[in-house]
Amino acid sequence: MSNNKTARIEIQYAISSDGLPTEAELTLWAQAALNSIADSTGEITLRVVDAEEIRALNHSYRGKDSPTNVLSFPFEMPEGLPLAAQDLILGDIALCADVIAEESQEQNKVLTHHWAHMVVHGVLHLLGFDHIGDSDAAIMEKLEIDILASLGIPDPYHLPTA
C-alpha cells in the first residue's frame, strides 16, 4: 500500500509560540499520511495559525463562527489546466495551535501526538477521506490509527484512562 513518494510540503508559521512542532515533525507526519495511500503525492501547505485566524476561516468556509483544530482545503482544479498538472497540488491545511494545545490538555493526550493526529487527519481530508457518515468515519479512523502506529503513536481514540 505504501509507495513512499516524496511530496512537496510547505510549512508556514503565522504565529510564534512555545510547544509548536518543528518543520521536520510536521513534514514527517504529513508524509506518513501520504505514504499510506497509493499514488498520493503533490504539494501541501501546512499553516500553523492562532484561534482568531482559524475562527475566521471556519466562519468563511463552513459557516461556523468558532475556532476549530484543523481545516483542510483541497485544491480545486481550474478549468483548462492541463491534465498533467492536475495532481501537482493537493491543497492547504490550517492547524490551530491554541485549540490543539487545549484539546491535548483536556483529553490528556501527549501534545506532539495530538499534533501528529491533526496533521494526519488534515492530509486524509485532502486525499478525499471524510467522517460525515459512520462507515466513512470508521474507514478514516482506521487509517489514522494505522498511520499514527507507524510513527509509534498510540490510538488516539482509545487511550488508556488514568
Side-chain angles (χ1 to χ4, degrees), residues 9-138:
I9 300 168
E10 180 183 338
I11 310 296
Q12 298 176 354
Y13 291 95
I15 61 168
S16 175
S17 176
D18 291 337
L20 295 179
T22 65
E23 287 188 25
E25 288 172 320
L26 291 166
T27 300
L28 172 72
W29 302 328
Q31 191 65 57
L34 287 169
N35 288 349
S36 71
I37 308 298
D39 300 323
S40 295
T41 189
E43 294 182 23
I44 294 175
T45 298
L46 298 174
R47 181 172 172 85
V48 179
V49 301
D50 63 14
E52 185 56 32
E53 184 171 339
I54 203 127
R55 185 210 58 79
L57 290 168
N58 204 19
H59 185 259
S60 293
Y61 292 95
R62 298 179 65 225
K64 297 182 178 188
D65 194 17
S66 61
T68 190
N69 49 20
V70 60
L71 290 172
S72 297
F73 300 95
F75 180 68
E76 294 182 16
M77 189 61 55
E79 286 187 38
L81 208 59
L83 287 176
Q86 289 192 10
D87 292 330
L88 296 181
I89 302 173
L90 292 172
D92 302 327
I93 299 170
L95 298 142
C96 182
D98 301 330
V99 173
I100 292 170
E102 287 170 17
E103 288 176 344
S104 172
Q105 195 168 42
E106 289 169 4
Q107 299 169 18
N108 200 26
K109 293 179 178 178
V110 174
L111 182 58
T112 55
H113 292 178
H114 195 47
W115 269 102
H117 182 202
M118 294 301 95
V119 170
V120 167
H121 186 88
V123 171
L124 289 177
H125 275 307
L126 292 184
L127 297 175
F129 292 90
D130 214 323
H131 46 81
I132 294 171
D134 288 346
S135 63
D136 289 338

